């Protein structure tokens, strides 16, 4: 194996470029089957053996970042790169290299990370489309080959998340020296994306290039300004090529260049050193290991530096990049919660108005009422995260008048709701309701219709390594809800008891207008308008006693089913790179069935009536509510 032992420094000087980014969310329910990666050393999770560990009789793979502490020297293993961290965050299998020499020698299965240190854009496309296109070689010696991904698999997995980065080595190897070269390099990367899309890929994450000039390699090359100008050309050309897929497949763009600028503008927020030029120094390469935090110092600390060597991030930079990618992948499901909160506010209104239509609540005269209620809802129907908790509050005034053998009512409510999670949402607005109940012999018919308009304030919290960002947005939402219920009275019409089986249906339509997030430039999203439909049907049994003698009672037990099993995520674009939209994987409801139980008491004192009640609804998780209303009969 000695022929494999080439200095990591000599190899690393030529390869890669820095990438940065991030967000923190704990849920792993993203719905992707696997992560498949194509790129260069920035994403390489271990194609090459670690020569220094092999010399000491230990197996290990080389990765292009710093080794782990406390010594940060061999035989300590290398830290994880961003794509490995991303796979972990998504709850997927460990991201293993596709063409590892060591794994092949040991008879271990290959992985789905085709990224390889030293790859140019031509090499990246070869690892996707060419026979024996996945090539691991050093110093002109081919260590192992494998067919490109599409040659071996035939079709792309439509449920997989694909990740593509590259282009840096075209610059560092002298292949890009003029604008036409930069455009050609970007077009080559896009050819690989073309092949994946044609083969059935539905979600592809694509990184732009950070400013190669603003790195230790750029400084050493003496071409810092030239590199920076050509990177701008490359990124512009890549965006123009990707735009053709807008609306056809999900292209998740990573503005690594913008994130790099954000990190270097406020290094203290990321836990990085503030007393040195981060783009000029590195951790381990003698060419740029000139700071008090470098490996050659008496107290090395890579967490304070952005670059491991002349072009590759430290593990601190890798963490920022992984967090950033994860934040953009999961953003659609969090941003969709604005629509969910609008729907649940309308559902709470329907439930409150149904309470005013209970048979034992009615009288022969006009009744004016005031009502207050509060709901606690975990809002986890489509996002399984224990931090989600919504609170609804409302105050309403209304009137009920007798019409024939039934009643007609109307009400207006001031509603507020808040959702605490990585996505904080505040809702405030008014809902107007019309409701009616009519008795036809033993058959009771009940209908409720509501229309609401709301203001929403949304805050999406993002963690980028040690830094935190809050993306804020304001928008408006509205919607309508309709309930229809039929019951069959089992008790006599002159009895104070109204006992009846019932069947009910609820339909809610809600819309939230689009908006632009404000905050971190690299993270801010353009959020499209959302339309949400929610339907449910239930059967149950009602027991209701009019307040004969001054005291009444009611209870309902029902079993129901949600009729909409999946939800789309919010459709978003990166504000800094708006060429492509994505909405992520559809979210599936955790449980489509529910049980509901409501009960309460009412007290009548002359013409004055007070009703107090509460209930629970859910299956594995329960939403609860309490309600108090007071009415005066004329």
């Amino acid at each position: 194996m000695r022929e494999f032992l080439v200095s990591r420094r000599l190899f690393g000087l030529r390869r890669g470029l820095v990438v940065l980014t991030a967000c923190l969310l704990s849920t792993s329910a993203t719905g992707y089957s696997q992560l498949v990666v194509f790129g260069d050393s920035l994403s390489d999770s271990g194609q090459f053996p670690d020569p220094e560990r092999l010399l000491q009789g230990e197996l290990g793979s080389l990765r292009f970042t710093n080794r782990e502490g406390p010594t940060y020297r061999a035989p300590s293993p290398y830290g994880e790169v961003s794509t490995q961290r991303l796979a972990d965050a998504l709850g997927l299998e460990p991201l293993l290299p596709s063409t590892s020499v060591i794994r092949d020698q040991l008879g271990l299965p290959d992985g789905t990370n085709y990224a390889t240190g030293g790859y140019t854009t031509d090499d990246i496309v070869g690892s996707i489309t060419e026979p024996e296109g996945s090539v691991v070689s050093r110093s002109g010696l081919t260590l192992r080959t494998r067919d490109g991904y599409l040659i071996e698999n035939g079709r792309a997995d439509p449920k997989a998340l694909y990740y593509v980065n590259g282009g840096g080595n075209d610059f560092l190897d002298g292949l890009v020296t003029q604008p036409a070269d930069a455009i050609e390099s970007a077009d080559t990367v896009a050819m690989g994306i073309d092949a994946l899309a044609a083969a059935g890929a539905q979600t592809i994450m694509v990184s732009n290039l950070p400013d190669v000039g603003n790195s230790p390699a750029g400084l050493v090359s003496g071409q810092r300004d030239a590199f920076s100008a050509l990177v701008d050309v490359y990124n512009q050309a890549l965006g123009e090529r990707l735009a053709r897929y807008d609306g056809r497949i999900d292209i998740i763009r990573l503005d690594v260049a913008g994130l790099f600028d954000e990190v270097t503008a406020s290094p203290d927020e990321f836990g990085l050193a503030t007393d040195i030029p981060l783009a000029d120094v590195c951790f381990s390469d003698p060419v740029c290991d000139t700071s008090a935090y470098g490996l050659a110092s008496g107290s090395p600390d890579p967490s304070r530096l952005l670059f491991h060597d002349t072009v590759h991030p430290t593990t601190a930079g890798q963490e920022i990049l992984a967090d950033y990618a994860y934040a953009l992948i999961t953003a659609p499901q969090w941003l969709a919660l604005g629509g969910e909160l609008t729907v649940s506010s309308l559902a709470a209104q329907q439930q409150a108005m149904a309470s005013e239509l209970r048979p034992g609540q009615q009288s022969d005269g006009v009744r004016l009422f005031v009502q207050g209620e509060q709901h606690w809802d975990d809002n986890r129907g489509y996002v399984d995260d224990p931090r989600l908790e919504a609170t609804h509050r409302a105050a309403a005034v209304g009137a009920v008048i007798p019409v024939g053998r039934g009643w007609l009512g109307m009400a207006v409510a001031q509603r507020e709701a808040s959702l605490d999670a990585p996505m904080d949402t505040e809702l405030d607005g008014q809902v107007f309701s019309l409701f009616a109940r009519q008795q036809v012999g033993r058959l009771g018919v009940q209908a409720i219709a509501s229309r609401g308009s709301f203001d929403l304030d949304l805050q999406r919290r993002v963690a980028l390594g040690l830094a935190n960002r809050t993306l804020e947005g304001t928008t408006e939402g509205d919607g309508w809800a309709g309930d229809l219920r039929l019951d069959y009275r089992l008790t006599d019409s002159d009895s104070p008891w109204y006992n009846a089986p019932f069947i009910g249906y609820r339909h809610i339509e809600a819309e939230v207008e689009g908006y632009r997030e404000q905050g971190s430039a690299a993270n801010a999203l353009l959020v499209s308008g959302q339309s949400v439909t929610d339907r449910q049907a239930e059967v149950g049994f009602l027991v209701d006693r009019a307040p004969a003698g001054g005291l009444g009672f009611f209870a309902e037990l029902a079993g129901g089913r949600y009729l909409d099993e999946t939800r789309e995520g919010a459709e978003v674009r990166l504000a800094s790179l708006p060429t492509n939209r994505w909405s992520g994987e559809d979210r599936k409801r955790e449980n489509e069935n529910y049980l509901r139980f409501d009960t309460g008491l009412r007290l009548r004192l002359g013409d004055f009536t007070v009703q107090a009640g509460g209930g629970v609804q859910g299956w594995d998780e329960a939403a609860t509510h309490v309600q108090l209303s007071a009415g005066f009969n004329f």
Side-chain angles (χ1 to χ4, degrees), residues 24-29 326 330 333-334 337 377-390 419-423 461 590 621:
L24 175 68
L25 288 173
S26 68
T27 179
S28 62
Y326 184 52
T330 55
Q333 75 175 21
W334 293 121
L337 292 176
D377 187 352
D378 62 21
N379 257 271
R380 290 168 60 185
Y382 296 95
V383 180
D384 186 16
D385 190 298
R387 293 168 293 172
L388 287 177
E389 183 176 331
L419 178 64
D420 296 323
M423 183 73 204
R461 298 195 299 270
E590 290 298 305
E621 302 288 338

Side-chain angles (χ1 to χ4, degrees), residues 161-222:
L161 171 65
Y162 293 87
Y163 184 108
V164 179
N165 81 279
N169 289 321
D170 292 31
F171 285 74
L172 298 170
D173 288 353
L175 301 178
V176 174
T177 60
Q178 57 185 338
D181 298 333
I183 294 171
E184 182 180 354
S185 179
D187 189 66
T188 302
V189 169
M191 289 172 57
I193 295 167
D194 292 343
L196 290 170
Q202 293 299 305
T203 307
I204 307 175
M205 176 168 272
V206 183
S207 169
N208 71 357
L209 271 178
D211 187 352
V212 179
N214 195 26
S215 68
L219 178 66
V220 171
S221 71

Side-chain angles (χ1 to χ4, degrees), residues 322-612:
D323 285 349
Y324 177 60
Y326 184 52
L328 294 181
I329 291 170
T330 55
Q333 75 175 21
W334 293 121
L335 293 169
L337 292 176
E340 297 296 338
L341 197 62
T342 304
V343 165
S344 59
S345 293
L346 290 167
Q349 177 75 6
Q350 295 297 96
Q351 190 171 36
M353 294 303 100
S355 181
E356 297 299 330
L357 275 180
R358 297 188 186 280
Q361 180 79 323
Q362 310 311 322
S363 68
D364 294 332
V366 176
R367 179 169 59 89
L368 302 180
F369 68 87
V370 295
Q371 182 192 83
E373 49 151 325
Q374 183 153 332
H375 289 242
W376 295 270
D377 187 352
D378 62 21
N379 257 271
R380 290 168 60 185
Y382 296 95
V383 180
D384 186 16
D385 190 298
R387 293 168 293 172
L388 287 177
E389 183 176 331
T391 302
H392 297 263
R393 300 164 297 277
V397 295
V400 180
I401 60 175
V403 176
R405 296 192 61 194
W407 300 269
L408 176 67
M410 62 188 68
V412 58
Q414 178 69 33
R415 301 204 67 90
E416 298 177 354
S418 61
L419 178 64
D420 296 323
M423 183 73 204
D424 290 345
T425 306
E426 300 286 339
L427 175 147
D428 180 82
Q430 295 78 40
V431 183
F432 299 87
S433 298
L434 293 174
F435 44 93
R437 179 177 177 83
Q438 191 66 225
Q439 199 70 34
V440 183
R442 291 185 177 272
L443 181 66
V445 182
Q446 178 175 302
I448 306 169
S450 299
R451 177 79 185 184
S453 297
F454 308 99
D455 296 321
L456 291 99
D457 294 320
L458 307 100
Q459 294 185 338
R460 182 168 62 95
R461 298 195 299 270
V462 173
L464 304 171
L466 298 180
N468 292 285
R469 293 289 185 267
T470 298
L471 289 305
E472 299 181 348
T474 59
T475 187
E476 296 179 350
D478 59 51
W480 63 267
D483 282 23
L484 179 64
R485 190 161 97 166
L486 304 176
D487 63 60
Y488 187 82
R489 184 172 186 172
L490 302 178
T491 53
D492 294 335
S493 59
D494 58 355
S495 170
W497 290 92
Y498 192 105
N499 301 340
F502 65 84
I503 183 171
Y505 172 76
R506 175 174 294 161
H507 191 112
I508 300 176
E509 299 277 351
E511 295 189 355
V512 176
E513 295 182 3
Y515 61 95
R516 176 177 181 147
E517 291 183 320
Q518 302 297 320
S520 164
N523 287 273
L525 297 173
L526 302 174
V527 185
S528 300
Q530 303 170 47
S531 297
V532 184
T533 299
D534 192 80
R535 301 169 300 148
Q536 63 187 73
E538 64 178 24
V539 295
F541 195 84
L542 161 69
V543 175
D544 194 312
R545 185 182 189 277
L551 186 64
F553 164 82
F554 65 88
E556 285 186 10
L557 178 62
R561 186 180 183 89
Y562 299 105
L563 303 180
D564 300 282
E565 296 183 7
T566 60
R567 286 272 207 273
E568 294 180 354
E571 187 179 86
V572 300
R573 300 174 186 267
L574 196 60
S576 59
L577 301 174
T579 56
N580 296 85
R581 76 191 88 166
W582 74 92
S583 59
E585 289 289 292
D586 289 348
R587 297 160 294 138
K588 186 175 177 61
R589 185 181 284 277
E590 290 298 305
N591 202 307
E592 60 191 18
N593 300 311
Y594 68 86
L595 291 175
R596 179 176 62 83
F597 178 70
D598 295 326
T599 188
L601 298 172
R602 64 175 64 95
L603 177 65
R604 179 169 294 169
L605 300 173
D607 293 326
F608 185 73
T609 304
V610 177
Q611 179 174 271

Side-chain angles (χ1 to χ4, degrees), residues 79-149:
E80 291 188 334
V81 296
S82 61
T83 48
Q84 292 177 287
R85 294 169 182 263
L86 177 60
D88 291 342
L90 293 172
L92 300 174
E93 293 295 320
L95 185 66
L96 302 175
S98 66
T99 320
S100 164
V101 179
I102 289 180
R103 296 187 67 82
D104 182 51
Q105 293 294 317
L106 296 177
L108 298 174
D110 291 322
T112 58
N113 187 354
Y114 290 77
T116 303
Y119 268 12
T120 64
T121 53
D122 283 333
D123 297 326
I124 293 169
V125 175
S127 71
I128 299 172
T129 64
E130 297 295 328
E132 297 190 346
S134 178
V135 181
V136 177
S137 63
R138 275 202 146 166
S139 301
L141 176 65
T142 297
L143 306 181
R144 187 185 171 197
T145 64
R146 179 183 173 187
D147 284 344
Y149 173 77

